[in-house]
Amino acid sequence: MRKLDETISRIDQIDFSMAEKTQKRLDFLTKPQGSLGKLEDLAKQVVEITKKDNPSLKNKVIFTMAADHGITEEGVSAFPKEVTPQMVYNFLNGGAGINVLANHVGARVVVVDMGVAEEIKVTSHKSQVKSFKNKKINFGTKNFAKGAAMARDEAIRSIEAGIEVFEEEFANNGIDIVGTGDMGIGNTTASSAIVSVITGAKVEDITGRGTGIDDKGLSHKIEIIKKGLLVNKPDSKDGIDVLSKVGGFEIGGLAGVILAAASKRVPVVIDGFISGAAALVAFSIEPKTKDYMIASHCSVERGHKVTLDFIGLTPVLDFNLRLGEGTGAALGIGIIDASVKILTQMATFEHAGVSEKK
Amino acid sequence: MRKLDETISRIDQIDFSMAEKTQKRLDFLTKPQGSLGKLEDLAKQVVEITKKDNPSLKNKVIFTMAADHGITEEGVSAFPKEVTPQMVYNFLNGGAGINVLANHVGARVVVVDMGVAEEIKVTSHKSQVKSFKNKKINFGTKNFAKGAAMARDEAIRSIEAGIEVFEEEFANNGIDIVGTGDMGIGNTTASSAIVSVITGAKVEDITGRGTGIDDKGLSHKIEIIKKGLLVNKPDSKDGIDVLSKVGGFEIGGLAGVILAAASKRVPVVIDGFISGAAALVAFSIEPKTKDYMIASHCSVERGHKVTLDFIGLTPVLDFNLRLGEGTGAALGIGIIDASVKILTQMATFEHAGVSEKK
């Protein structure tokens, strides 16, 4: 718990004192004031977070964290659970959606085994080893329809493992902006449970089809989540309790990444629904994290909008995505990078010899 | 008129016969079916447009076309008209918003003088010369509050000049995807007039603040547009008549780019309100152009949504942009490029050894 407490203690409240000065700088650039809308807002937020007048987002990293979920025993997912490790290998081989999109925006993917139900065997191929971290807390969670998904100690360790992977990568390779990503068959079920508890929304209002279950599957999923909440009675005010009762190891790990990013003043780009549940856990542990978060997109998963509204985040993109892995975060990072380049690379009216507004 | 007629005659109706096959390919990739939402739609559209199973968007070009507007005599803009040539030099020197964003997505900017009110003096600096084309039709349009903005012959020549610049760049350097961009003080006034005539919307419903006029300025702008429509009585069914009566040379040029792109089966990414007016002119001349267009974003200019709805386009982004120059198109091109990479670079379930849906 010491690492977690230390990290929390290093998170500053963002005071937005630089916003006016940054807007003035944006207004000196050769464009009508405010005409780059969302890009100007994002550039200002990056300046506030980093406390740098001229931030550069050279080192972009996406942490794609994987774990298995005991709740899959209840038949809540359209895909079999062996897909979790299979997809981890796909990430390591560069064939998944997150590899393509991270590459597109110039981001590195760091794959983390937070609790996959089998050992991940990494070959000695150099690029694989560099992008993989083993932080396995356990071989999947327990079935939360029957009891707690994990021990409280495991929940804390999963968050601290997330902090560790962030800090290792930050120290060794640098991180100027970070995106969150997930893989775990069954994890929309865990995320819906978390979102329902923390936001107070009804289970049926925030549970979606995940990887693609039908109407019957959706009703069953809702019943299972309700059962899990009855059995476990998570304390809505205690993010760690919620995580341990109905969460997942990758969700804890991502909450750790968010806390660590905030403690290092690094902008953290939240992916979809599972990352949103992790953001809720981090926000519940330390509300100051909110201003360090940028929501990349609004997912098809119906609980995602409720999650973003609860934290107070407005998504950058609305592309009907529901893949996870950090794919939306990658696209968001590309846009945020563009916003920072606007601030730092455009000519001023004076320099370009362009007349100002009458 | 021969060049225009020939170009129109080469535009095929897109039949979407490849859509099913492409969706099947997307469904073989290691992700739940349809889970990349908008990206999957965009990838399919690019396949349909290019008729290539594996399109590659290596050569990205944005045509930023500049011209002056006689209507500025009526005091409709927040910026003085000398800003048009000043911004052309800013484009050529790489300091404008479009330079930064085009660079960000790996696109070339080709700056075209379609009718700036003074001679553009290009220095011998190589990068400048390469990215500049002089297709000046005249030294700005006439004041359309008092009569036609240009002769019908000039309207046709502006469209044909747009076709020419596209064809030259296509032949000499290659174009896999193209974005439209504009610069011209006074051109939201001309665009509002075009949009009102072609869509039938009331002038007050589609006229906005352009570069930033106040309430009084907006009322005046609306009155001037109404006066111009009364004086000129453009024929709403004849895009060339509308362009000549109340349009602009850069708007004609961009309509030409759109027609040329469609004739060469190149996806054309529409920027904001002025590009939207150009798209309306192209659509009015040849409705088959619609399926070659991708609307990059929804502008703050209130007439833009009406324009996109009229053509039947759904914008990719909603960022409160109102700069023009092709800035929204550049961001859109980045997203479309990502969508094509998803189709062509992701691993299949079979290849990656990932189990499919139960």
Side-chain angles (χ1 to χ4, degrees):
Chain A
M1 189 86 187
R2 216 181 61 189
K3 185 161 204 69
L4 176 55
D5 288 338
E6 278 175 7
T7 303
I8 295 168
S9 73
R10 282 198 308 267
I11 300 176
D12 292 331
Q13 181 71 52
I14 292 185
D15 62 4
F16 292 98
S17 60
M18 291 167 89
E20 202 183 331
K21 190 176 130 198
T22 310
Q23 186 61 57
K24 266 192 191 145
R25 272 186 63 204
L26 285 163
D27 293 345
F28 283 137
L29 303 176
T30 46
K31 59 175 186 51
Q33 289 185 12
S35 61
L36 282 175
K38 187 81 190 169
L39 293 186
E40 300 194 25
D41 297 339
L42 291 168
K44 278 185 284 184
Q45 190 176 352
V46 172
V47 168
E48 294 296 329
I49 291 172
T50 60
K51 276 201 170 177
K52 289 178 185 164
D53 282 330
N54 289 297
S56 159
L57 304 182
K58 187 167 156 273
N59 281 300
K60 308 173 182 78
V61 178
I62 290 164
F63 288 105
T64 303
M65 298 191 146
D68 273 304
H69 293 261
I71 196 74
T72 53
E73 285 173 18
E74 303 291 340
V76 288
S77 179
F79 279 81
K81 62 176 274 206
E82 65 260 28
V83 166
T84 305
Q86 288 167 346
M87 282 303 294
V88 169
Y89 291 113
N90 198 18
F91 299 147
L92 293 173
N93 291 324
I98 186 54
N99 300 104
V100 174
L101 296 182
N103 230 358
H104 177 67
V105 302
R108 306 192 296 269
V109 180
V110 176
V111 183
V112 186
D113 175 1
M114 287 297 306
V116 180
E118 61 178 67
E119 286 297 349
I120 300 295
K121 293 183 190 76
V122 178
T123 67
S124 59
H125 187 290
K126 209 183 157 200
S127 74
Q128 282 196 1
V129 178
K130 194 180 166 186
S131 58
F132 178 76
K133 287 176 192 285
N134 179 0
K135 298 279 174 183
K136 197 190 287 287
I137 305 296
N138 208 330
F139 288 79
T141 52
K142 296 197 186 100
N143 180 349
F144 77 74
K146 295 179 176 168
M150 62 184 94
R152 185 175 178 91
D153 170 63
E154 289 179 312
I156 293 166
R157 282 197 287 130
S158 72
I159 299 172
E160 292 188 331
I163 295 171
E164 269 170 36
V165 288
F166 182 95
E167 291 184 343
E168 287 165 19
E169 187 69 19
F170 185 83
N172 297 335
N173 302 305
I175 305 180
D176 298 314
I177 189 165
V178 64
T180 64
D182 72 285
M183 177 69 225
I185 297 301
N187 66 9
T188 61
T189 304
S191 297
S192 291
I194 291 172
V195 170
S196 175
V197 175
I198 297 183
T199 70
K202 282 188 192 165
V203 175
E204 37 274 82
D205 290 342
I206 48 82
T207 302
R209 293 174 190 276
T211 48
I213 50 174
D214 60 14
D215 287 351
K216 202 178 146 197
L218 180 59
S219 303
H220 176 63
K221 182 174 172 181
I222 290 168
E223 288 315 307
I224 291 293
I225 294 170
K226 284 184 178 173
K227 189 176 162 196
L229 296 181
L230 267 177
V231 167
N232 287 290
K233 297 185 185 53
D235 175 359
S236 66
K237 303 292 173 210
D238 178 356
I240 295 171
D241 189 61
V242 179
L243 177 65
S244 65
K245 300 283 182 55
V246 297
F249 298 125
E250 80 282 42
I251 297 172
L254 291 172
V257 165
I258 295 166
L259 289 160
S263 80
K264 298 284 190 191
R265 302 198 76 103
V266 170
V268 55
V269 184
I270 310 298
D271 191 40
F273 186 53
I274 285 85
S275 289
L280 266 185
V281 171
F283 178 70
S284 159
I285 292 172
E286 178 47 77
K288 289 179 201 158
T289 50
K290 180 212 152 184
D291 294 329
Y292 295 89
M293 299 183 198
I294 300 171
S296 59
H297 76 106
C298 188
S299 167
V300 174
E301 273 291 311
R302 50 200 301 220
H304 194 216
K305 193 181 176 307
V306 174
T307 305
L308 297 181
D309 287 348
F310 185 86
I311 304 176
L313 301 174
T314 307
V316 175
L317 303 170
D318 190 3
F319 281 4
N320 291 322
L321 305 178
R322 54 183 173 82
L323 176 55
E325 302 179 3
T327 47
L331 294 172
I333 285 174
I335 299 292
I336 298 161
D337 197 16
S339 82
V340 168
K341 289 178 180 173
I342 285 293
L343 176 67
T344 57
Q345 297 180 3
M346 265 185 77
T348 60
F349 282 102
E350 193 184 351
H351 180 80
V354 174
S355 306
E356 295 196 51
K357 198 170 163 180
K358 286 185 274 197
Chain B
M1 190 89 186
R2 216 181 63 192
K3 184 161 205 70
L4 176 55
D5 288 337
E6 278 175 10
T7 303
I8 295 169
S9 73
R10 284 199 305 269
I11 300 175
D12 291 332
Q13 182 70 52
I14 292 186
D15 63 4
F16 293 97
S17 60
M18 293 166 88
E20 203 183 332
K21 190 176 130 196
T22 310
Q23 186 61 56
K24 265 191 192 148
R25 273 187 62 203
L26 285 162
D27 293 345
F28 283 136
L29 303 176
T30 46
K31 59 175 185 52
Q33 289 184 11
S35 62
L36 281 175
K38 186 80 190 170
L39 294 186
E40 300 193 27
D41 296 339
L42 289 169
K44 277 184 283 184
Q45 192 176 351
V46 173
V47 168
E48 293 297 328
I49 291 172
T50 60
K51 275 199 170 177
K52 289 176 185 164
D53 282 330
N54 288 297
S56 160
L57 304 182
K58 187 168 157 271
N59 282 300
K60 307 173 182 75
V61 178
I62 290 163
F63 289 105
T64 303
M65 298 191 147
D68 274 303
H69 292 261
I71 196 74
T72 53
E73 286 173 16
E74 304 290 339
V76 289
S77 178
F79 279 80
K81 62 176 273 206
E82 64 260 28
V83 165
T84 305
Q86 288 167 347
M87 284 301 296
V88 169
Y89 291 113
N90 197 18
F91 298 147
L92 293 174
N93 291 324
I98 185 56
N99 300 105
V100 174
L101 296 181
N103 229 358
H104 177 68
V105 301
R108 306 193 296 270
V109 179
V110 175
V111 183
V112 186
D113 175 2
M114 288 298 306
V116 181
E118 60 179 68
E119 285 298 348
I120 300 295
K121 292 183 191 76
V122 178
T123 67
S124 59
H125 186 292
K126 207 182 157 201
S127 73
Q128 282 197 359
V129 178
K130 194 180 166 188
S131 57
F132 179 75
K133 286 175 194 283
N134 180 359
K135 298 279 175 183
K136 198 191 286 287
I137 306 295
N138 208 331
F139 288 80
T141 52
K142 296 198 185 98
N143 180 348
F144 77 73
K146 294 179 176 168
M150 63 184 91
R152 185 174 178 93
D153 170 63
E154 289 179 312
I156 293 166
R157 281 196 289 130
S158 72
I159 299 171
E160 293 188 330
I163 296 171
E164 269 170 34
V165 289
F166 182 96
E167 290 184 343
E168 286 165 19
E169 188 69 19
F170 185 84
N172 297 335
N173 303 305
I175 305 179
D176 298 315
I177 188 165
V178 63
T180 64
D182 72 286
M183 177 69 224
I185 298 301
N187 68 8
T188 60
T189 304
S191 296
S192 290
I194 291 171
V195 170
S196 175
V197 174
I198 297 184
T199 70
K202 281 188 193 167
V203 174
E204 37 272 84
D205 291 342
I206 49 82
T207 302
R209 294 173 190 277
T211 50
I213 50 174
D214 60 14
D215 287 351
K216 203 178 145 198
L218 181 58
S219 302
H220 176 63
K221 183 174 171 180
I222 290 168
E223 288 315 308
I224 292 294
I225 294 169
K226 285 184 177 173
K227 189 176 161 195
L229 296 181
L230 266 177
V231 167
N232 286 290
K233 299 187 182 52
D235 175 359
S236 66
K237 303 292 173 209
D238 178 357
I240 295 172
D241 188 61
V242 179
L243 176 64
S244 65
K245 299 283 182 56
V246 298
F249 298 124
E250 80 281 44
I251 298 172
L254 291 172
V257 165
I258 295 165
L259 290 160
S263 80
K264 298 284 190 191
R265 301 197 80 102
V266 170
V268 55
V269 184
I270 309 298
D271 190 40
F273 186 52
I274 286 83
S275 289
L280 266 186
V281 171
F283 179 70
S284 160
I285 292 172
E286 177 48 78
K288 289 179 200 158
T289 51
K290 180 210 153 186
D291 294 329
Y292 295 89
M293 299 183 199
I294 300 172
S296 58
H297 77 107
C298 188
S299 167
V300 174
E301 274 291 310
R302 50 200 305 222
H304 194 217
K305 192 180 177 309
V306 174
T307 305
L308 298 181
D309 287 347
F310 186 85
I311 304 176
L313 300 173
T314 307
V316 175
L317 303 169
D318 190 3
F319 280 5
N320 290 323
L321 305 178
R322 54 183 173 83
L323 176 55
E325 301 178 2
T327 48
L331 294 171
I333 285 173
I335 299 293
I336 297 160
D337 197 17
S339 80
V340 168
K341 288 177 180 172
I342 285 293
L343 175 68
T344 57
Q345 297 180 4
M346 268 185 75
T348 59
F349 282 101
E350 193 184 352
H351 180 81
V354 174
S355 305
E356 295 195 51
K357 198 170 163 181
K358 283 185 276 198

